[in-house]
Amino acid sequence: MAAIRSINPSTGLERAVYEEDSDAVVEQRLAAAAAAVPALAALGWDRRAELMRAAADLLESEIDDVADLITAEMGKPIAQSRAEVAKSASSMRYYADNAREFLTGRELDDPSVVGASAARTRFDPLGVVLAVMPWNYPIWQVVRFAAPALMAGNAGILKHASNVPQSAVYIGELFTRAGFPEGAFATLLIGSRRVEAVIRDPRVAAVTLTGSEGAGRSIGATAGDVLKKAVLELGGSDPFIVMPSADLEAAVETAVKARTTNNGQACINAKRFIVHDDVYDEFARRFAQAMDALVVGDPADPTVDVGPLATESGRSDIEELVEDARAKGAAILVGGRRSDIPVGWFYEPTVIADLTRDMRLYSEEAFGPVASLYRAASFDEAVAIANESEFGLGSAFWSNDPEEIARAEREIEAGAVFVNGMTISYAQLPFGGIKRSGYGRELSKEGIREFCNLKTVWVA
Ligand code: NAP
């Protein structure tokens, strides 16, 4: 079996090495998960909610250690790691409080129209769900699947990204430590080539992936082949449109945050800044200045804004995208190179303008602190540039014109439109994409229903 390594991206030094789980361990975890499904049902709503609150309390009580772990394992600034843990705990409580209501079926008012004495719907759990998760929010990505899944009565098996094994082990033990039945949620330390066999296992009912398009194609194909439900949360190249009536100062400030949060490695980071001609030059000047002023360095230092990229290959990918654009004539307004920090995988916050369709950055996702600037002569052109992307995850629209706002809501092709703000995930709002950003929804009422059987009951 191959080794799974935790390497600190700020130093390049190895933190821990794990052996991949053997086939016997995988078998044992799958059997335990299948056995946990009736055990979860037997607990009932109230007890599951109590256990979910206990898990939230436990996570919160360990926030210092967990935040340090996230920062050391994937490099996000420490304040953002703490925020990730806090958000995870509060979202667990949200599902503890609301799952029962979200999964309450409806009674038909007049069952005689279907020839019944009673007719209703109910939401039953599907069973064991496999979650294949990315490293960029190593706790939150898992919790946003696990909290609704467990509250619905599903068991979860986690295959986490191979560069965050310590986070994988921690979160894989949290729910049982809080009192959930053995096997109800557990981690498999396996490489991606072993995912297919798990999806095909008859005890696994469904699969959810958050990750790249490539992983989405492969997992979606396997799930399709065995006719199992799949939810795919894939990449994004979110537009951030700025119109002349927008509050420019607020737009610039938010734009910087929207591009560089999580060291620029979030699916919903704004990546393409599409600015109306009337305010383009001023926006570009202020945005470039603010990006240039960001402090790059050790993410454990609370004064640092941007840490390293999570992997060496992630930094190479970003470098190649930028070099391709530079070679084809793009203008690099700031950054455009590795940072001077001698160790670790740091890259300078970068703003690039004058992009053309032959450049990879025009159509590909930039997973790092690299912003692309586009000039638009009108609302129609701005929306056309936004919609030209094959992705359709989040979007931001900045304007104070009510008609423009109404049109943007309708016309932007994305899973979310944030007006005068930046795309953020909230437990209370559904989250997901269209086009090549995937299908299905997480979070809120819609998310918990994805892995349930909406069952119709008809009584003579
Ligand atoms: P990735 O390579 O696709 O990895 C994500 C997960 O999928 C990991 O657990 C990985 O395992 C696994 N995986 C990769 N290839 C696979 C395959 N062929 N079959 C089965 N499993 C496979 O993604 P990444 O590049 O690390 O993460 C960044 C991507 O995720 C970006 O595109 C980002 O936009 C997207 N993302 C989307 C959302 C969303 O909600 N839409 C949220 C966060 C991130 P290994 O690590 O073992 O390869």
Side-chain angles (χ1 to χ4, degrees):
M1 296 289 167
I4 294 186
R5 293 172 201 285
S6 178
I7 297 176
N8 186 332
S10 303
T11 60
L13 297 176
E14 192 169 270
R15 293 168 42 80
V17 188
Y18 296 81
E19 278 298 303
E20 262 196 54
D21 286 335
S22 65
D23 289 342
V25 170
V26 173
E27 167 55 33
Q28 182 229 318
R29 297 262 153 77
L30 284 169
V37 175
L40 282 164
L43 291 175
W45 290 111
D46 291 343
R47 183 67 185 138
R48 290 203 296 274
E50 267 173 35
L51 295 174
M52 188 55 70
R53 288 191 193 98
D57 292 347
L58 189 56
L59 177 61
E60 221 164 45
S61 73
E62 295 170 348
I63 188 167
D64 292 340
D65 290 344
V66 182
D68 286 348
L69 168 59
I70 295 172
T71 291
E73 205 163 45
M74 58 67 67
K76 82 177 68 182
I78 188 68
Q80 294 179 32
S81 295
R82 291 184 70 85
E84 175 174 341
V85 176
K87 175 176 176 172
S88 300
S90 71
S91 301
M92 288 154 82
R93 295 193 184 103
Y94 169 79
Y95 275 111
D97 292 345
N98 293 296
R100 183 181 200 154
E101 186 200 319
F102 290 163
L103 298 182
T104 299
R106 63 187 169 91
E107 285 283 339
L108 209 62
D109 288 340
D110 180 8
S112 69
V113 296
V114 294
S117 64
R120 56 183 162 267
T121 60
R122 47 180 295 128
F123 292 90
D124 291 332
L126 288 184
V128 179
V129 183
L130 170 68
V132 181
M133 290 290 144
W135 46 263
N136 60 346
Y137 290 87
I139 299 299
W140 163 242
Q141 292 287 359
V142 178
V143 164
R144 79 183 193 182
F145 158 72
L150 288 167
M151 283 308 301
N154 291 304
I157 292 274
L158 169 67
K159 181 270 179 276
H160 216 326
S162 293
N163 57 324
V164 289
Q166 290 184 303
S167 300
V169 168
Y170 174 82
I171 195 73
E173 291 171 350
L174 180 75
F175 294 98
T176 11
R177 284 172 63 214
F180 274 96
E182 203 60 42
F185 192 85
T187 283
L188 292 181
L189 284 178
I190 56 172
S192 53
R193 72 194 181 290
R194 291 169 74 195
V195 166
E196 178 173 346
V198 179
I199 299 172
R200 289 185 184 279
D201 189 286
R203 289 163 294 194
V204 171
V207 57
T208 183
L209 162 75
T210 300
S212 60
E213 280 180 79
R217 275 197 201 92
S218 156
I219 286 174
T222 305
D225 191 39
V226 285
L227 298 174
K228 292 183 184 177
K229 171 81 185 258
V231 167
L232 301 179
E233 298 284 5
L234 309 178
S237 191
D238 287 3
F240 187 106
I241 298 176
V242 183
M243 297 300 291
S245 64
D247 175 340
L248 205 63
E249 194 177 326
V252 168
E253 196 184 314
T254 307
V256 171
K257 211 169 145 201
R259 178 55 285 206
T260 58
T261 293
N262 219 42
N263 305 337
Q265 303 163 115
C267 52
I268 50 170
N269 279 132
K271 290 167 189 148
R272 297 177 297 137
F273 296 81
I274 304 163
V275 185
H276 191 281
D277 228 357
D278 292 355
V279 286
Y280 179 92
D281 292 336
E282 184 60 14
F283 180 91
R285 189 182 63 75
R286 292 200 211 175
F287 182 50
Q289 202 174 38
M291 289 285 279
D292 203 30
L294 292 171
V295 180
V296 178
D298 178 2
D301 174 347
T303 63
V304 159
D305 300 306
V306 181
L309 296 187
T311 60
E312 196 168 12
S313 63
R315 183 172 67 174
S316 304
D317 291 346
I318 274 289
E319 279 179 324
E320 284 168 22
L321 280 178
V322 172
E323 287 319 311
D324 169 77
R326 193 200 309 268
K328 290 170 181 161
I332 315 276
L333 305 189
V334 292
R337 58 185 189 88
R338 289 180 180 199
S339 116
D340 294 332
I341 300 168
V343 292
W345 304 312
F346 295 89
Y347 196 83
E348 291 289 331
T350 296
V351 181
I352 305 191
D354 301 339
L355 290 142
T356 50
R357 285 194 179 80
D358 58 328
M359 299 173 189
R360 290 178 54 202
L361 256 183
Y362 197 93
S363 52
E364 293 183 32
E365 178 180 26
F367 220 54
V370 173
S372 302
L373 270 181
Y374 295 86
R375 189 190 285 270
S378 63
F379 172 92
D380 287 332
E381 194 187 4
V383 172
I385 295 170
N387 289 345
E388 205 177 318
S389 171
E390 297 202 48
F391 295 108
L393 194 54
S395 63
F397 183 75
W398 283 72
S399 166
N400 280 307
D401 176 334
E403 272 177 39
E404 277 177 4
I405 292 171
R407 281 191 62 193
E409 267 182 44
R410 204 171 46 239
E411 293 178 28
I412 294 177
E413 296 168 2
V417 179
F418 278 63
V419 178
N420 296 325
M422 61 185 261
T423 306
I424 296 176
S425 62
Y426 294 98
Q428 297 80 358
L429 290 172
F431 183 96
I434 58 167
K435 302 185 351 188
R436 270 165 47 194
S437 293
Y439 45 76
R441 290 293 178 267
E442 290 191 283
L443 299 175
S444 190
K445 177 162 82 176
E446 291 76 10
I448 195 172
R449 290 181 169 185
E450 288 281 8
F451 295 114
C452 290
N453 171 19
L454 168 51
K455 188 185 279 172
T456 296
V457 180
W458 182 98
V459 184

